[in-house]
C-alpha cells in the first residue's frame, strides 16, 4: 500500500510540531519555531494560554457533550455575549468555518424562501474568495483549482470581481438572494475591501431586500484590529460566519444573524450533533474573556502598525524580492515579486520562522494576537536573515 494513513490531500512540510509554548512551536526533532502563522489565524492567544487551558480542563471535568436535544445554559451564555458584542440577534454554533458559511448560505436562502420567494436562491460572491471546502462553499468560490475533480458544483452562485461595485450591482437579477463577501480576503492574499465597496453592497442590499452575508472566518476575532472587520466600514451585515480565532484552537464556529435575516431558520430546518457543545462553549468563553476588550484590540492595532512600518522599511532593501505590505491589525500581507511558497519554506526550514503563503504572491503574517515587542524583534531578525540568505535562482 502506498497511500499515507492521512489522506494525502495536504502537501505537508517536514515540520512536525509536538508542543506549543506561547508564540513558539517545538517540533518532534526538537527544533523551535516562531509561530507567525497561528494555525492559519486560529491561535489568537498563542499556544498554551492559561485561561484557555483552564476553561477547557474545567469543562472536560464537568460536562463535555450532551446534544442539542437539551437546553444549553453554556450555549445561551456564549451566544448572548456574541450578540452583545456584534450586530447579531441570534447564533448557530458549528464545528468549523465551512459549516458556519454553510449555515450562512442556508440562512440567506431561507430568508427569501420562507416568505414564498422560492426563486431567490442565488448568492453573488467575489473572485479569489475562499469560503471553505464543502460542496456548497467550493461552489461559492470562483477558484477553478478547488472545483477540479468535484463537479458538478452546487447551483446558485455567481462570481464577480472583488471591489467592483458596478459589477456587483449589474449582477443582481430576479434570483438574487444576496451577496457573500470577505471584508478582507485571507486566502486571496490580504486583499482589503474598500469602504465604497462594502458600503455600496450594504446600500444595494437595503434597496433590493437582499442579504449581506459576511465571511469573517479569517478576518474576525480581533485579527484585523477590531473584534470583527466590518466595524471598520461603518456597516453591519445581516448574516456573518465566524470561526478560526473564535475557539483559539478548539474547533468551533458560528453563524450569526439578525432576527429578520434568521426568519427562515425555524425548528427542524438545520442542525449539528456537536455544534455548540459545552466543551466548545468553554473555549469560546475563554477567548471572549480576552479579545473583545478595547485595550486589547487597540494594542493589536498598535502592534500591527509597528510590524507594518518595520516591514515597509525592510522591503526597501530587497526591491527584487518584495513589492508591498498591506493589511489591518495583525492580518498582514507581504506581497512578493516572486512565487512566495519557496521563500515561506526557506524562512521555515532555515530560519525557524512560520508564515503562510496566500494568493496574489502574498506571504501572510498572522502572529498570535498576544505577541509583544520581543516577538516582533525576533520576527524581523529572522525575516531579515532569511531575505539576506535567499537566492531567487534556487527556486526556478
Ligand atoms: C478558513 C476559512 C474558511 C473555512 O474554514 P474551515 O474551518 O477550514 O472550514 C471559510 N472562510 C474563510 C474566509 C476562511 O479563511
Amino acid at each position: 500500500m502506498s497511500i499515507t494513513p492521512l489522506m494525502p490531500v495536504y502537501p505537508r512540510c517536514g515540520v512536525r510540531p509536538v508542543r506549543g509554548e506561547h508564540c513558539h512551536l517545538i517540533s518532534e526533532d526538537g527544533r523551535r519555531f516562531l509561530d507567525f502563522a497561528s494555525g492559519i489565524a486560529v491561535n489568537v492567544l498563542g499556544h498554551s494560554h492559561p485561561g484557555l487551558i483552564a476553561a477547557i480542563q474545567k469543562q472536560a471535568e464537568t460536562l463535555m457533550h450532551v446534544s442539542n436535544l437539551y437546553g444549553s445554559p453554556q450555549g445561551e451564555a456564549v451566544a448572548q455575549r456574541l450578540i452583545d458584542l456584534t450586530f447579531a440577534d441570534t447564533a448557530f454554533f458549528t464545528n468549523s468555518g465551512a459549516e458556519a458559511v454553510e449555515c450562512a448560505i442556508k440562512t440567506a436562502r431561507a430568508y427569501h424562501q420562507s416568505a414564498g420567494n422560492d426563486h431567490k436562491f442565488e448568492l453573488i460572491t467575489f473572485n479569489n474568495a475562499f469560503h471553505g471546502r464543502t460542496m456548497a462553499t467550493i461552489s461559492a468560490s470562483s477558484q477553478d483549482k478547488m472545483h477540479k475533480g468535484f463537479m458538478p458544483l452546487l447551483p446558485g452562485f455567481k462570481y464577480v470581481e472583488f471591489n467592483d461595485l458596478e459589477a456587483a450591482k449589474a449582477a443582481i437579477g430576479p434570483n438574487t438572494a444576496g451577496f457573500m463577501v470577505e471584508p478582507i480576503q485571507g486566502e486571496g492574499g490580504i486583499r482589503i475591501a474598500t469602504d465604497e465597496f462594502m458600503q455600496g453592497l450594504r446600500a444595494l442590499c437595503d434597496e433590493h431586500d437582499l442579504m449581506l452575508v459576511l465571511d469573517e472566518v479569517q478576518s474576525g476575532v480581533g485579527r484585523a484590529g477590531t473584534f470583527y472587520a466590518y466595524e471598520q466600514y461603518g456597516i453591519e451585515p445581516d448574516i456573518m460566519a465566524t470561526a478560526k480565532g473564535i475557539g483559539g484552537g478548539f474547533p468551533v464556529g458560528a453563524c450569526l444573524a439578525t432576527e429578520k435575516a434568521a426568519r427562515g431558520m425555524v425548528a427542524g430546518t438545520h442542525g449539528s450533533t456537536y455544534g455548540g457543545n459545552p466543551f466548545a462553549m468553554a473555549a469560546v468563553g475563554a477567548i471572549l474573556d480576552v479579545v473583545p476588550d478595547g485595550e486589547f484590540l487597540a494594542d493589536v492595532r498598535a502592534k500591527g502598525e509597528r510590524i507594518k512600518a518595520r516591514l515597509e522599511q525592510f522591503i526597501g532593501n530587497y526591491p527584487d524580492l518584495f513589492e508591498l505590505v498591506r493589511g489591518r491589525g495583525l492580518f498582514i500581507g507581504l506581497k512578493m515579486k516572486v512565487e512566495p511558497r519557496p521563500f515561506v519554506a526557506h524562512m521555515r526550514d532555515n530560519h525557524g520562522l512560520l508564515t503562510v503563503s496566500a494568493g496574489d504572491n502574498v506571504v501572510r503574517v498572522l502572529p498570535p494576537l498576544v505577541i509583544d515587542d520581543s516577538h516582533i524583534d525576533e520576527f524581523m531578525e529572522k525575516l531579515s536573515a532569511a531575505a539576506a540568505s535567499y537566492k531567487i535562482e534556487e527556486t526556478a
Side-chain angles (χ1 to χ4, degrees):
M1 210 170 331
S2 67
I3 195 162
T4 46
L6 292 175
M7 195 180 275
V9 294
Y10 277 104
R12 293 172 185 271
C13 73
V15 177
R16 300 163 64 84
V18 289
R19 201 167 70 249
E21 288 176 3
H22 195 40
C23 300
H24 292 85
L25 281 177
I26 293 93
S27 66
E28 200 176 41
D29 56 7
R31 283 182 293 163
R32 192 177 167 85
F33 296 86
L34 178 67
D35 187 7
F36 269 38
S38 302
I40 316 190
V42 168
N43 304 99
V44 287
L45 304 185
H47 304 279
S48 63
H49 184 273
L52 183 56
I53 292 173
I56 290 174
Q57 272 178 348
K58 183 159 163 258
Q59 195 59 50
E61 289 164 3
T62 313
L63 178 68
M64 276 203 256
H65 178 81
V66 281
S67 148
N68 287 310
L69 297 173
Y70 306 107
S72 174
Q74 306 87 357
E76 282 168 8
V78 171
Q80 189 60 52
R81 290 176 78 179
L82 285 170
I83 289 162
D84 292 344
L85 288 162
T86 67
F87 74 98
D89 301 315
T90 191
F92 180 89
F93 290 107
T94 67
N95 315 291
S96 68
E99 284 172 273
V101 177
E102 284 271 351
C103 181
I105 294 166
K106 287 179 74 173
T107 303
R109 286 186 172 189
Y111 169 76
H112 295 289
Q113 296 180 25
S114 66
N117 292 316
D118 287 2
H119 60 288
K120 288 193 177 285
F121 56 81
E122 192 171 76
L123 284 175
I124 297 167
T125 63
F126 299 91
N127 289 344
N128 300 303
F130 181 82
H131 297 297
R133 294 292 200 152
T134 63
M135 281 309 306
T137 56
I138 64 172
S139 302
S141 171
S142 66
Q143 300 194 52
D144 281 339
K145 64 176 187 208
M146 292 200 289
H147 301 158
K148 217 171 157 277
F150 301 113
M151 304 303 274
L153 299 180
L154 192 75
F157 298 96
K158 195 190 260 183
Y159 321 127
V160 304
E161 193 57 31
F162 185 66
N163 266 338
D164 186 340
L165 187 60
E166 283 311 308
K169 186 177 177 183
I172 296 172
N175 302 127
T176 306
F179 297 103
M180 182 161 76
V181 63
E182 298 157 86
I184 303 174
Q185 290 187 335
E187 302 299 314
I190 317 290
R191 281 186 254 221
I192 304 173
T194 62
D195 288 355
E196 182 206 16
F197 181 63
M198 291 296 287
Q199 289 162 7
L201 293 181
R202 179 68 269 172
L204 287 171
C205 287
D206 292 341
E207 189 183 331
H208 298 278
D209 188 26
L210 303 175
M211 291 285 101
L212 181 60
V213 181
L214 296 187
D215 181 348
E216 290 231 33
V217 169
Q218 195 160 158
S219 57
V221 196
R223 179 56 53 190
T226 46
F227 188 42
Y228 284 96
Y230 74 79
E231 297 164 36
Q232 299 175 35
Y233 292 92
I235 57 123
E236 289 188 338
D238 301 295
I239 302 167
M240 184 176 79
T242 182
K244 291 202 165 94
I246 195 80
F250 195 95
V252 53
C255 171
L256 306 178
T258 64
E259 179 169 15
K260 181 183 171 196
R263 71 183 177 191
M265 301 304 279
V266 298
T269 55
H270 196 50
S272 166
T273 297
Y274 293 132
N277 80 11
F279 212 15
M281 294 301 93
V284 177
I287 298 303
L288 296 184
D289 286 344
V290 178
V291 175
D293 176 70
E295 267 178 51
F296 183 88
L297 292 168
D299 194 40
V300 168
R301 291 193 293 275
K303 289 183 288 200
E305 288 310 313
R306 287 207 286 282
I307 295 183
K308 272 202 295 184
R310 289 181 69 173
L311 282 175
E312 259 148 25
Q313 198 180 27
F314 157 79
I315 66 174
N317 302 330
Y318 296 95
D320 296 339
L321 268 186
F322 304 109
E323 186 171 328
L324 54 83
V325 179
R326 65 187 173 209
R328 300 253 174 99
L330 291 169
F331 202 24
I332 298 171
L334 177 57
K335 184 166 155 69
M336 298 191 71
K337 289 186 177 161
V338 297
E339 164 62 41
R341 261 165 251 272
F343 185 66
V344 167
H346 172 68
M347 289 191 284
R348 180 187 70 219
D349 296 336
N350 303 320
H351 297 275
L353 172 60
L354 303 180
T355 57
V356 205
S357 60
D360 200 31
N361 283 348
V362 162
V363 176
R364 266 177 292 175
V365 178
L366 308 171
L369 305 183
V370 294
I371 51 165
D372 60 36
D373 282 337
S374 75
H375 303 108
I376 299 179
D377 289 343
E378 185 182 346
F379 167 69
M380 289 308 304
E381 281 159 23
K382 286 180 153 64
L383 173 65
S384 304
S389 65
Y390 193 59
K391 294 183 184 54
I392 298 173
E393 55 274 18
E394 270 178 14
T395 71

